[in-house]
Amino acid sequence: MIGDHREPDVSRETSDPEASRDTPIAQAAQAAVQVRAGRAGDLPAPPTTRVLTVANQKGGVGKTTSAVNVAAALALHGLRVLVLDLDPQGNASTALGLPHPAGTPSIYEVLVDALPLAEVVGSVDGIPGLYAAPATIDLAGAEIELVSMVARESRLRRALDAYSAEQGRFDYVFIDCPPSLGLLTVNAMVAGDEVFIPIQCEYYALEGLGQLVRNVELVRAHLNPGLHISTILLTMYDARTRLAAQVADEVRAYFGGAVLKTVVPRSVRVSEAPSYGQTVMTYDPGSSGALSYLEAARELARHEPPVGPGDQEAGR
């Protein structure tokens, strides 16, 4: 009716503030604010240090990316975390902003010259509670130099035990392995109790996985009875392809409860972060990759890992 003036019904236009916080944009904004404030909430600390060997002999599957980002995410949740870069390429060192030119005191000197780990570990800028030991190209020759040494497979474990006794307990230790199954990776498996395997959601990523599982079984049988595959993280997931879903289904069918529910999507921001000497957690904390790694870290901390058959005998 002309001239009839009515007040608008604002009750229908008022959105639910609680519901608005559940939108992807709101979640990204909240994560960005929390990370930039240096804290993304609190997670329960494990009763004893969890030492995770991050391994996959296939390159380009997100192994180093997953190691540094999950470690950074756990530290942002108030936990004390150590990353050991055992890859001669030094990619984890780059992502964490650690200088690692040839000649820098590094994991190489720890393994070959028995240098105390405390002399090479440094704190990571911008992430309180995160510490790391760099790798240099010198580490490429360690495989040959270790061959003639006594107890060559357990040199990293002894160094880590001595460091922990001196510096106090860490909640998590991540050991980033090279993409091979040589003596460096064996040292990492002897030093750790858990194996963390990032798997790219593509067909080729499944090839060779059986050999990695067999190597874990060999190390468990002869060198470290408590070693077991505790965590599988699916990376580079492309929801648009049927192949990614098929690979994910096969991995879940084979590894069962060890596979995290969280998957990490392909993300340009995740790839860009190391070129700025950062993890994606500080480079772009609101990105899809950062949110996925935050959720993966939370799930890892709350996840009840499968128990290895040698755990009770090893007293762990």
Side-chain angles (χ1 to χ4, degrees), residues 36-268:
R36 292 199 168 104
R39 180 58 67 90
D42 291 311
L43 283 174
T48 58
T49 302
R50 291 181 64 179
V51 183
L52 294 98
T53 298
V54 187
N56 194 325
Q57 76 271 28
K58 187 180 186 307
V61 299
K63 176 180 58 60
T64 297
T65 299
S66 297
V68 298
N69 282 297
V70 171
L74 288 168
L76 287 167
H77 280 88
L79 298 169
R80 195 161 182 252
V81 185
L82 173 65
V83 176
L84 303 180
D85 190 354
L86 214 62
D87 188 345
Q89 297 176 87
N91 291 335
S93 304
T94 299
L96 295 173
L98 300 177
H100 57 104
T104 302
S106 67
I107 285 290
Y108 170 79
E109 283 77 15
V110 173
L111 291 175
V112 176
D113 300 328
L115 184 71
L117 196 54
E119 296 191 25
V120 303
V121 170
S123 59
V124 176
D125 290 341
I127 306 180
L130 182 59
Y131 301 83
T136 64
I137 193 63
D138 299 331
L139 199 56
E143 295 269 5
I144 297 173
E145 295 178 70
L146 286 171
V147 168
S148 60
M149 293 186 177
V150 176
R152 60 195 179 193
E153 301 93 350
S154 58
R155 293 179 72 86
L156 181 62
R157 176 158 197 153
R158 291 203 304 273
L160 181 58
D161 287 345
Y163 178 72
S164 297
E166 176 186 336
Q167 299 295 321
R169 187 176 80 85
F170 283 87
D171 296 308
Y172 289 87
V173 177
F174 289 85
I175 307 174
D176 185 40
C177 298
S180 67
L181 297 175
L183 265 176
L184 291 177
T185 300
V186 170
N187 257 272
M189 289 185 178
V190 172
D193 294 327
E194 304 179 41
V195 180
F196 179 129
I197 308 177
I199 299 177
Q200 182 183 9
C201 291
E202 293 187 0
Y203 175 75
Y204 286 134
L206 297 176
E207 293 190 338
L209 200 55
Q211 184 59 49
L212 175 59
V213 173
R214 285 190 289 274
N215 275 43
V216 171
E217 292 171 352
L218 284 172
V219 172
R220 182 170 62 214
H222 299 287
L223 298 167
N224 184 2
L227 186 69
H228 60 285
I229 297 173
S230 70
T231 310
I232 308 290
L233 178 62
L234 296 167
T235 65
M236 303 182 191
Y237 187 84
D238 189 344
R240 300 170 300 176
T241 67
R242 183 178 299 176
L243 177 62
Q246 290 175 339
V247 171
D249 288 344
E250 286 191 37
V251 172
R252 293 186 193 282
Y254 186 83
F255 289 103
V259 186
L260 298 182
K261 295 177 182 177
T262 304
V263 297
V264 179
R266 287 190 176 275
S267 171
V268 173

